[in-house]
């Protein structure tokens, strides 16, 4: 009792019943129930700012470079599995 715990967030968001094809990067996926920012009283205070920043960045990027696309097959992307944050090491694009 009273000890703190740290939970690895990389294990969240992998339930195929909630997120179809969870291993596939899909930026158009409805991710309202994701766990990346926590939930309820444990929700990250920076969540609204992060969502706003991402909305502004991606909408501006796609508006300015409408032909933007991956420069490689998605299965060739080097995904990060070795830390507390899941993602890619690099994301080569072309337009």
């Amino acid at each position: 009792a009273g000890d703190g715990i740290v939970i690895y967030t990389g294990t969240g968001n992998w339930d195929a019943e909630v997120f179809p094809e969870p291993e596939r990067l899909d930026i158009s996926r409805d991710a309202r129930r994701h766990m990346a920012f926590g939930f309820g009283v444990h929700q990250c205070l920076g969540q609204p700012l992060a969502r706003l920043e991402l909305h502004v960045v991606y909408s501006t990027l796609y508006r300015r470079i409408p032909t933007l696309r991956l420069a490689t097959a998605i299965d060739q992307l080097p995904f990060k599995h070795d830390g507390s944050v899941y993602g890619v090491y690099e994301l080569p694009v072309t337009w």
Side-chain angles (χ1 to χ4, degrees):
D3 287 348
I5 61 169
V6 176
I7 299 173
Y8 177 57
T9 58
T11 58
N13 307 322
W14 284 90
D15 184 347
E17 291 182 19
V18 178
F19 304 102
E21 298 182 85
E23 71 286 348
R24 188 170 72 83
L25 176 63
D26 180 0
I27 61 170
S28 64
R29 174 180 289 141
D30 178 18
R32 290 187 164 267
R33 295 175 52 202
H34 72 80
M35 300 176 63
F37 292 108
F39 182 75
V41 297
H42 303 289
Q43 190 165 335
C44 175
L45 295 176
Q47 178 185 29
L49 177 60
R51 284 187 171 165
L52 176 63
E53 289 173 338
L54 289 171
H55 177 75
V56 169
V57 166
Y58 286 125
S59 62
T60 301
L61 182 64
Y62 297 142
R63 187 178 65 252
R64 290 188 179 178
I65 311 173
T67 57
L68 186 69
R69 64 186 185 281
L70 281 175
T72 186
I74 197 164
D75 60 348
Q76 298 298 312
L77 294 176
F79 279 86
K80 296 170 71 172
H81 297 283
D82 58 355
S84 62
V85 179
Y86 180 75
V88 292
Y89 285 105
E90 58 188 46
L91 187 66
V93 297
T94 188
W95 56 89

